[in-house]
């Protein structure tokens, strides 16, 4: 079976779930110049869909080193399938893409992902990824990725991501189905509380994208022009509370801005929020924005019932200093007939600055935000190892114990017993490491080269290249160019371990620096 067909088979197996009751829908077409990618309406209330733009962007970075939480059982099977798809295609632009990703790498995995989420949302999508906003209005993190669009456009065509996107639809349908009813209920609940006859402000759009190629348990929100985006990644429990929070913000913030003149007499309270060590600067510098988020949190607490009071207290400690006032003021709103947008001026007018000043003065601000710990999918119990696999595990234990003679015999037994190439590759890799440690460089090179001939898994493949680079550098006549090529090959391995990637990058940098220093 070809690797492309394996991709299709994996998706079919993954999508054959008893709870899957949606027919496969066609791929979302590229958007026309007049607007952003189209999406299916969520019961007339906002939007819930998958994004071909995010799919392409995250497929690209997965192919060149975005490995955050790659071993998590909460990952979608699509993430592994797409990586194999691209590996089989071997697009020529992969090396340029890898260099770009390395040059823009962020130490924090969330920040690393965040910039590419921003890029994916700020474009009209494939095939040419035209910017959604004019150059002067591009978000800073998107502007910092200058040159990515050209590489991504070429990569999208060479890797045939359009076909991959079409084949991925069953998994997206399954993921969207999990969110459809609870998100609809959250939207209706929010609109009902605010007595909102329509979904938000005229001309504005709320969009939820379910993404399957990023690390699990992520929620990203962006506001670009008239568009409010929420991106959720795989999680055991749907992130409905996060989506409801974003939707309330989408509804309430324009109302706060519209009523900003009523906040003018109260804005002195904003100075009291400056003492919070964790409150974001945009809230400290914009009293209306701060008040808007306090209203959102107060509404969330009212919707949560009796348990909401703890959320109010935590919000106050985090610097959202008007949450308690709005929480206490909302019952009066609930008992009358006006919509929230009509009642808001009265609610602001009733805010007693002196009273709130005293309340806020008693707050002990916290130095760390409260975070919700997301569930992880339970790892499936692994069956006991038998045959050659058991011998390989034994060989690994003997190697770790530095019993190289016994380990060597166990590795050879694996090679004799098994015809499985990846399993044999692991055994030859073990023999290569033993030969290197026992100062037999020629034998080590032979074993490692044999490893690479046997279709090894990413761990053995990348480390085999690193060891070969070290061996040619340790020779009596070091082969510098050969070593650099080995290091480059290690860095190009998709799914390589972090240790192998780090070793290759650091050692290649040292070699390059030595070459530069040696030049006259």
């Amino acid at each position: 079976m070809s690797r492309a067909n394996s991709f299709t088979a994996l998706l079919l197996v993954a999508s054959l779930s008893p709870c899957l009751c949606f027919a496969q829908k066609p791929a979302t077409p590229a958007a026309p110049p007049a607007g952003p990618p189209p999406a299916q309406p969520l019961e007339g209330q906002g939007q819930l869909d998958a994004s071909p733009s995010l799919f392409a962007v995250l497929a690209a970075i997965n192919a060149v080193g975005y490995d955050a939480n790659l071993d998590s059982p909460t990952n979608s099977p699509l993430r592994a399938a797409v990586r194999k798809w691209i590996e089989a295609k071997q697009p020529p632009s992969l090396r340029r893409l890898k260099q770009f990703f390395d040059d823009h790498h962020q130490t924090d995995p969330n920040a690393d992902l965040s910039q590419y989420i921003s890029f994916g949302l700020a474009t009209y999508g494939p095939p040419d990824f035209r910017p959604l906003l004019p150059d002067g209005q591009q978000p800073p993190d998107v502007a910092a990725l200058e040159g990515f669009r050209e590489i991504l456009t070429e990569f999208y065509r060479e890797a045939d991501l359009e076909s991959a996107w079409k084949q991925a639809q069953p998994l997206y349908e399954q993921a969207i189905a999990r969110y459809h009813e609870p998100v609809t209920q959250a939207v209706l609940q929010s609109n009902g509380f605010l007595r909102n006859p329509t979904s938000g402000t005229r001309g504005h759009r709320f969009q939820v994208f379910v993404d399957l190629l990023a690390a699990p348990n992520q929620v990203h929100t962006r506001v670009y022009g008239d568009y409010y985006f929420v991106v959720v990644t795989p999680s055991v429990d749907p992130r409905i509370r996060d989506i409801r929070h974003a939707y309330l913000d989408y509804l309430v913030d324009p109302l706060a801005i519209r009523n900003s003149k009523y906040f003018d007499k109260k804005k002195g309270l904003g100075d009291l929020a400056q003492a919070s060590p964790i409150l974001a600067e945009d809230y400290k510098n914009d009293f209306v924005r701060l008040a808007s988020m306090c209203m959102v949190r107060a509404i969330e607490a009212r919707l949560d019932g009796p348990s909401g009071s703890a959320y109010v207290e935590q919000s106050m400690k985090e610097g959202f200093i008007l949450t308690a006032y709005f929480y206490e003021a909302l019952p009066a709103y609930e008992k009358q007939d006006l919509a929230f947008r009509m009642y808001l001026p009265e609610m602001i007018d009733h805010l007693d600055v002196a009273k709130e000043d005293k309340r806020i003065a008693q707050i002990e601000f916290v130095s760390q935000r409260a975070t919700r710990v997301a569930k992880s999918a339970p790892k499936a119990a692994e069956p006991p190892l038998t045959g050659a696999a058991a011998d390989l595990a034994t060989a690994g234990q003997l190697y770790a114990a530095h019993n190289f003679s016994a380990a060597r015999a166990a590795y050879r037994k694996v090679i004799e017993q098994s015809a499985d190439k990846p399993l044999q590759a692991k055994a030859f890799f073990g023999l290569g490491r033993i030969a290197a440690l026992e100062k037999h460089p020629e034998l080590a090179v032979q074993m490692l080269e044999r490893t690479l001939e046997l279709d090894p898994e990413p761990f053995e493949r990348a480390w085999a290249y690193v060891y070969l680079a070290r061996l040619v550098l340790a020779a009596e006549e070091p082969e510098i160019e050969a070593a650099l090529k080995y290091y480059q090959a290690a860095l190009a391995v998709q799914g390589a371990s972090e240790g192998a990637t780090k070793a290759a990058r650091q050692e290649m940098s040292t070699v390059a620096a030595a070459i530069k220093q040696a030049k006259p």
Side-chain angles (χ1 to χ4, degrees):
M1 181 183 291
S2 70
R3 292 194 178 187
N5 288 336
S6 296
F7 175 82
T8 305
L10 174 57
L11 295 185
L12 289 174
V13 170
S15 64
L16 290 177
S17 166
C19 66
L20 180 61
C21 54
F22 285 76
Q24 179 175 343
K25 72 175 183 179
T28 305
Q40 299 300 316
L42 175 63
E43 302 293 347
Q45 313 280 343
Q47 306 289 335
L48 176 64
D49 203 4
S51 166
S53 178
L54 287 174
F55 174 83
V57 171
L58 295 178
I61 65 173
N62 265 280
V64 292
Y66 173 65
D67 297 334
N69 298 113
L70 195 59
D71 59 349
S72 170
T74 310
N75 274 302
S76 166
L78 181 63
R79 192 176 182 189
V82 166
R83 292 163 79 99
K84 290 181 179 179
W85 170 280
I86 296 169
E87 183 179 6
K89 296 291 182 181
Q90 287 295 306
S93 57
L94 196 62
R95 179 165 294 185
R96 288 173 58 215
L97 182 62
K98 172 68 174 174
Q99 186 62 56
F100 184 94
F101 181 81
D102 289 345
D103 290 345
H104 294 80
H105 177 67
Q106 303 285 328
T107 305
D108 179 1
N110 291 334
D112 210 20
L113 171 65
S114 181
Q115 59 187 336
Y116 291 101
I117 293 283
S118 296
F119 182 93
L121 294 174
T123 89
Y124 285 117
D128 56 2
F129 301 93
R130 291 185 304 103
L132 182 67
L133 302 171
D135 288 343
Q137 299 178 27
Q138 287 290 319
D141 55 348
V142 175
L145 296 178
E146 183 179 1
F148 183 59
R149 176 192 171 197
E150 291 74 14
I151 301 174
L152 180 62
T153 300
E154 187 176 347
F155 177 80
Y156 180 84
R157 175 179 51 81
E158 293 173 350
D160 192 17
L161 291 184
E162 181 179 5
S163 296
W165 166 251
K166 290 177 180 177
Q167 294 187 37
Q169 292 307 296
L171 283 186
Y172 278 110
E173 286 291 348
Q174 185 177 357
I176 291 170
R178 291 182 68 223
Y179 272 93
H180 193 277
E181 182 176 352
V183 170
T184 298
Q185 291 303 315
V187 167
L188 291 174
Q189 181 191 40
S190 301
N191 282 338
F193 185 88
L194 298 178
R195 299 164 190 167
N196 205 49
T198 60
S199 182
T201 305
R202 182 176 298 177
H204 290 233
R205 177 175 172 183
F206 183 79
Q207 176 74 61
V208 179
F209 283 130
V210 178
D211 172 74
L212 300 181
L213 298 185
N217 304 313
Q218 300 271 323
V219 180
H220 294 260
T221 61
R222 302 287 188 278
V223 181
Y224 294 152
D226 294 333
Y227 301 98
Y228 197 121
F229 295 108
V230 182
V231 178
V232 292
T233 70
S235 58
V236 174
D237 295 326
R239 305 296 292 267
I240 305 305
R241 182 178 177 84
D242 298 283
I243 294 173
R244 187 188 68 177
H245 175 87
Y247 185 67
L248 284 169
D249 187 26
Y250 160 76
L251 294 177
V252 171
D253 195 54
L255 300 180
I257 294 172
R258 191 182 305 163
N259 290 278
S260 59
K261 64 180 180 180
Y262 297 105
F263 283 111
D264 286 346
K265 295 179 182 179
K266 322 289 182 176
K267 63 182 181 181
L269 290 171
D271 295 338
L272 303 177
Q274 301 294 321
S276 170
I278 62 172
L279 188 66
E281 289 300 315
D282 60 333
Y283 293 120
K284 290 183 177 181
N285 298 331
D286 187 339
F287 180 67
V288 174
R289 178 66 183 140
L290 174 62
S292 172
M293 184 50 64
C294 291
M295 283 190 281
V296 167
R297 287 172 171 251
I299 293 168
E300 288 181 283
R302 290 296 299 171
L303 292 176
D304 288 343
S307 64
S309 58
Y311 183 54
V312 172
E313 182 180 356
Q314 182 63 31
S315 296
M316 296 288 285
K317 291 179 178 180
E318 291 181 8
F320 297 99
I321 55 173
L322 297 180
T323 306
Y325 166 72
F326 286 116
Y327 179 70
E328 294 169 358
L330 283 171
Y333 155 73
E334 295 170 31
K335 293 176 182 178
Q336 53 83 58
D337 297 327
L338 291 175
F340 187 79
R341 69 183 187 281
M342 303 295 293
Y343 185 79
L344 182 55
E346 182 177 344
M347 190 182 297
I348 300 171
D349 185 58
H350 287 166
L351 196 162
D352 186 329
V353 172
K355 179 180 177 182
E356 295 309 312
D357 193 320
K358 291 180 181 179
R359 188 199 322 241
I360 297 167
Q362 298 176 11
I363 298 173
E364 293 184 9
F365 292 114
V366 295
S367 58
Q368 188 173 359
R369 292 180 180 84
T371 56
R372 186 182 67 137
V373 178
K375 288 184 181 179
S376 294
K379 291 188 176 181
E382 297 183 2
L385 298 176
T386 59
D391 291 333
L392 185 65
T394 299
Q397 294 169 358
L398 292 168
Y399 174 87
H402 293 268
N403 188 346
F404 296 145
S405 177
R408 183 164 46 245
Y411 281 129
R412 286 174 176 167
K413 184 179 179 182
V414 171
I415 295 170
E416 293 170 358
Q417 288 184 343
S418 175
D420 182 84
K421 286 187 176 181
L423 208 61
Q424 284 194 344
K426 292 178 184 291
F428 275 108
F429 177 68
L431 291 173
R433 288 194 297 174
I434 292 173
L437 289 170
E438 293 185 335
K439 309 298 184 184
H440 301 302
E442 292 183 1
L443 179 59
V445 168
Q446 181 183 348
M447 295 295 99
L448 293 169
E449 288 179 342
R450 183 65 180 136
T451 299
L452 294 171
E453 293 172 358
L454 291 167
D455 193 23
E457 293 182 2
F459 180 90
E460 285 77 25
R461 182 183 294 277
W463 273 116
Y465 283 128
V466 171
Y467 278 115
L468 284 168
R470 292 172 177 175
L471 287 166
V472 298
L473 287 174
E476 291 184 7
E477 297 182 5
E479 300 179 42
I480 305 297
E481 295 299 326
L484 290 175
K485 289 181 179 178
Y486 282 134
Y487 285 132
Q488 290 168 351
L491 292 173
V493 175
Q494 300 173 38
S497 70
E498 183 179 349
T501 301
K502 182 178 180 180
R505 186 179 291 117
Q506 290 180 346
E507 293 172 25
M508 185 170 68
S509 177
T510 301
V511 172
I515 294 173
K516 184 177 180 180
Q517 187 175 2
K519 289 182 178 180

